[in-house]
Structures are given as structure tokens and as C-alpha cells.
Amino acid sequence: MLLTSLITGKEHLVSLYGQAVAARPAQAAALEPFRQRHAAHLQALRALLPAGGGTFPASPAPPASSSAAPSPSAVSAVSVVSVETLRDAERRAASARPAQMATASPALSQLLASIGACEAVHVVALGRVRD
């Protein structure tokens, strides 16, 4: 149950970053590395699923290509994902990690500690990215 909720949370973060990258071409180069790190976290979490026990796809959906201009309706649908929204999502995720580690296996706890540290650094680093 914990692992599946962690995966769902990571999928959400990857999706938020994908939306932000698609909607903000000027910041795409700055935001894409954050999305890639979350995609790597997601892959590591999925690797802990028991064989045949997961219902999650093998890899996250790729973000919209930054070379193709999104349609105006697509931009308006995703433009609500601001850098501050990303910072808030990172802050919430990082602050949840200690409680999650308390109930996790040792291997998952180590991974969560690493993921939480990365998320905490993202909060600071995103402060340097301007909307």
C-alpha cells in the first residue's frame, strides 16, 4: 500500500513537471532536469514492486515535446503549473518522507531518504527559477 501510494505521488510530480515544461518553453531547459530526476525516482520505486504485483506501466509517459508548439487550449490547461506550484509540491513530498520511512522496510527507507533529500534540494533550487 505504501509503495503504490509513493508511485502514484511520483507519477503526479512527473506529470506536473511535464505540464510545466510543455507550458513554459522559456523555463523548459531549467525544469526538465527536475522532471528527469523524478522519473528516475519513479523507476526506482517501481523496481521494488513484487513481480507481477503491480498495475503500473513500466515507464512514465514522455513529456510533450518542447520543439512542437502546444495548442492554445493545451497551454491554458497547463499554465496553472507555476514554479511556485512545483516548489509547494516538492515541499509537501519532502516533508512526508520521515513519516513514510517509519513504516517502510529498510531498503525502501533508504530510497525514501534519498528521494526526500533530492526533493528538499529541489525546493531550494526552484527558488532560482523564475516564472
Side-chain angles (χ1 to χ4, degrees), residues 16-42:
L16 280 178
Y17 275 98
Q19 292 171 28
V21 165
R24 301 176 179 291
Q27 289 94 6
L31 295 175
E32 180 59 20
F34 293 90
R35 190 202 64 78
Q36 290 174 357
R37 284 187 286 275
H38 285 296
H41 298 161
L42 181 56

Side-chain angles (χ1 to χ4, degrees), residues 49-113:
L49 284 171
T55 59
F56 297 94
S59 63
S65 171
S66 58
S67 61
S71 69
S73 62
V75 171
S76 65
V78 296
S79 63
V80 296
V81 181
S82 66
V83 172
E84 192 57 36
T85 298
L86 295 171
R87 285 185 80 197
D88 288 344
E90 295 278 10
R91 191 177 292 115
R92 281 190 309 275
S95 67
R97 301 304 176 217
Q100 293 164 341
M101 289 186 306
T103 62
S105 69
L108 182 54
S109 289
Q110 285 180 321
L111 180 56
L112 286 174

